[in-house]
């Protein structure tokens, strides 16, 4: 569960950082536009900068699913 929380926290941090920069910068953008831009930019940043974390989460999920399948097979056979 820890890698999932770490990935979520880092993605949220990227969003907040980009949103903060857009808020401080004198661009005169509407709030909805700032949120949308921050969402898109943080998504792109997360895609490139959090690859290792995404792979770790994926490995954990696959391991968990495989373990559940194996337990289910054993309970069905026994």
């Amino acid at each position: 569960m820890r890698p999932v929380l770490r990935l979520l926290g880092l993605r949220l941090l990227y969003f907040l950082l980009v949103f903060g920069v857009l808020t401080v910068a004198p661009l005169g953008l509407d709030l909805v536009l700032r949120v949308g831009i921050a969402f898109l930019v943080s998504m792109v940043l997360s895609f490139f900068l959090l690859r290792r974390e995404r792979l770790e989460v994926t490995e954990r999920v696959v391991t968990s699913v495989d373990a559940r399948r194996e337990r289910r097979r054993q309970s069905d056979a026994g």
Side-chain angles (χ1 to χ4, degrees), residues 8-70:
L8 179 64
L10 287 171
R11 291 183 73 180
L12 181 61
L13 178 66
Y14 287 166
F15 172 79
L16 292 174
L17 286 173
V18 174
F19 181 75
V21 168
L22 291 173
T23 300
V24 173
L27 300 174
L29 298 174
D30 183 52
L31 175 65
V32 175
L33 189 56
R34 283 183 290 181
V35 169
I37 292 171
F39 177 75
L40 291 174
V41 171
S42 66
M43 197 168 56
V44 170
L45 286 173
S46 296
F47 181 77
F48 290 107
L49 300 177
L50 298 177
R51 181 172 187 245
R52 181 178 56 200
E53 285 80 4
R54 276 195 330 273
L55 290 175
E56 186 176 343
V57 169
T58 302
E59 289 173 5
R60 294 270 180 127
V61 169
V62 168
T63 302
S64 175
V65 169
D66 288 345
R68 286 183 188 157
R69 284 183 183 159
E70 185 60 34

